[in-house]
Amino acid sequence: AQLSTHLGMIIADAILGGPDRNPLKGFEWPAVPGHFGKPWFLPLVGMYYKMLDRVR
C-alpha cells in the first residue's frame, strides 16, 4: 500500500510535466505463464462465481 501511494505521486508529477522518477521504469514484466492472447477463461470464471452466488 505504501508503494502504490508513492508511485501514484511520482506518476502524477510526471503527468503534470515534472521529471520522470519512476523507479520501476525499464524493468521487464514477464507474461502470466500459460496465458496467450485474449483472456478466453474470463467467461468461465464469471460463470463459476455466478454459480457460487446462487448456491450461497
Side-chain angles (χ1 to χ4, degrees), residues 13-46:
D13 286 342
I15 290 171
L16 292 173
D20 185 6
R21 301 177 295 132
N22 185 355
L24 302 176
K25 186 177 183 178
F27 280 106
E28 254 189 65
W29 298 100
V32 176
H35 173 64
F36 303 101
K38 291 181 132 185
W40 55 268
F41 52 86
L42 286 182
L44 299 175
V45 172

